[in-house]
Amino acid sequence: MHFQGTDAYVATRELSVAVNAAIQLQKPLLIKGEPGTGKTLLAFEVAKALNKPLYTWHVKSTTSAQQGLYEYDAVSRLRDSQLGNEGVGDMERYIKKGKLWEAFETDESAVLLIDEIDKADIEFPNDLLQEIDRMEFYCYELRRTISAKHRPIVIITSNNEKELPDAFLRRCFFHYIRFPERETMQRIVDVHFPNLPGELMTKALSVFYGIRDVKALKKRPSTSELIDWIQLLMHAGVTHDDLTDLEVLREVPPYLGALLKNEQDSELLAALRAKGR
């Protein structure tokens, strides 16, 4: 198994090395980076490139580690018992398998995405230590241990909203996705828009990185927002000359709402453009 990116996902050499190192070490790959840099998409592309099934567990603030293993529906069992329904003694009917359980029982190694782990409670990563380390857990209702048939490739993403516990970090291989440099970004844009005129590509990237270089922005635009913006430019027939003219006239770029997501940043950029900066 060797990952080098896909036709739809440009992976830098550093990212490819990290993915393959985590697979070799049989450790979870912990991915951090700015929002919109392709952290979540990475798991989908690794599964696609290696031709493996994918299980996705999107973590929320209310998510518990137990939900990734299984949930026991005691209420339904009690109701069935009171109504005299058949099959009450079959405990498996009342067990809802979590994403870890599903990934553990596949007949081949799968890719398991634990997305935005830092959204949950601070104890959430610690509650998964043993299961991720040993690749097994005990189901008390069924009185049996659920072990992975094949160790899944575990990819965990974090937006750095919370510090993760040291004990958890020791069990992971870590990689930070740096924001793409202009050359890498051009390759990414080429994947999405192979027919984009070269002059428009150059000018659009110049405008984009110029906005990102504004120090006082609350939220700098990301890769995904650049893709949306270029799509709008192409749909509207905006040309390289149009963007150049706007710069000369000290006006903000069209469809700025695709790049900047709050009024403070929009007003700041407009003020800077009016001053010729």
Side-chain angles (χ1 to χ4, degrees):
M1 294 186 293
H2 194 74
F3 176 73
Q4 292 182 310
T6 67
D7 292 340
Y9 189 91
V10 176
T12 62
R13 180 179 179 279
E14 292 82 3
L15 179 57
S16 298
V17 167
V19 171
N20 295 314
I23 294 173
Q24 180 65 33
L25 293 173
Q26 295 188 328
K27 289 194 172 195
L29 174 62
L30 174 61
I31 295 289
K32 292 186 180 182
E34 287 185 35
T37 50
K39 300 187 297 297
T40 300
L41 186 59
L42 173 65
F44 289 82
E45 297 303 320
V46 169
K48 178 181 175 182
L50 302 182
N51 194 26
K52 294 186 175 298
L54 172 69
Y55 296 90
T56 59
W57 184 15
H58 298 290
V59 177
K60 301 177 181 179
S61 59
T62 56
T63 302
S64 68
Q66 182 63 35
Q67 291 172 315
L69 308 180
Y70 69 92
E71 293 181 273
Y72 169 53
D73 191 352
V75 174
S76 293
R77 185 166 184 256
L78 176 61
R79 184 188 63 242
D80 289 348
S81 177
Q82 291 172 338
L83 295 174
N85 294 338
E86 296 181 358
V88 175
D90 182 7
M91 295 294 290
E92 291 203 34
R93 291 182 56 187
Y94 306 98
I95 297 291
K96 179 183 178 182
K97 297 177 181 179
K99 295 300 180 180
L100 267 75
W101 189 330
E102 291 179 357
F104 282 4
E105 67 180 5
T106 55
D107 292 328
E108 59 176 312
S109 176
V111 176
L112 171 63
L113 168 64
I114 304 177
D115 195 30
E116 297 189 330
I117 193 172
D118 52 325
K119 278 190 174 180
D121 184 83
I122 189 62
E123 292 302 320
F124 179 90
N126 280 335
D127 293 341
L128 287 176
L129 285 179
Q130 179 171 310
E131 288 76 14
I132 288 180
D133 201 27
R134 299 184 181 180
M135 286 291 151
E136 65 179 27
F137 62 89
Y138 188 74
C139 179
Y140 292 94
E141 289 76 13
L142 300 181
R143 298 181 181 179
R144 75 169 188 256
T145 298
I146 310 300
S147 301
K149 293 181 181 179
H150 304 277
R151 178 179 286 268
I153 299 168
V154 181
I155 297 177
I156 303 170
T157 70
S158 169
N159 285 325
N160 242 357
E161 292 182 10
K162 295 188 185 82
E163 286 293 329
L164 299 175
D166 289 343
F168 180 81
L169 295 175
R170 284 197 298 271
R171 287 166 169 80
C172 299
F173 188 93
F174 172 75
H175 181 73
Y176 183 87
I177 298 181
R178 293 180 297 162
F179 195 83
E181 297 176 352
R182 192 175 296 238
E183 182 180 346
T184 302
M185 186 65 82
Q186 184 167 334
R187 291 168 55 204
I188 293 172
V189 173
D190 275 335
V191 166
H192 292 272
F193 307 105
N195 298 319
L196 183 67
E199 286 189 339
L200 179 57
M201 161 91 78
T202 301
K203 190 61 185 178
L205 289 181
S206 177
V207 171
F208 173 74
Y209 278 101
I211 293 175
R212 277 189 58 89
D213 286 342
V214 176
K215 303 294 185 184
L217 287 182
K218 293 182 65 177
K219 182 190 179 302
R220 295 188 295 176
S222 68
T223 305
S224 61
E225 288 157 345
L226 171 64
I227 299 303
D228 290 342
W229 183 56
I230 291 179
Q231 183 175 349
L232 289 170
L233 295 182
M234 294 184 68
H235 179 75
V238 175
T239 66
H240 161 267
D241 291 334
D242 293 331
L243 292 180
T244 302
D245 290 343
L246 287 172
E247 200 167 39
V248 172
L249 295 171
R250 299 183 179 180
E251 295 183 5
V252 297
Y255 305 112
L256 189 61
L259 297 174
L260 299 181
K261 304 300 182 177
N262 60 71
E263 64 276 13
Q264 294 95 330
D265 286 347
S266 297
E267 290 172 0
L268 173 62
L269 185 65
L272 291 175
R273 282 295 176 94
K275 294 178 181 178
R277 297 182 184 178

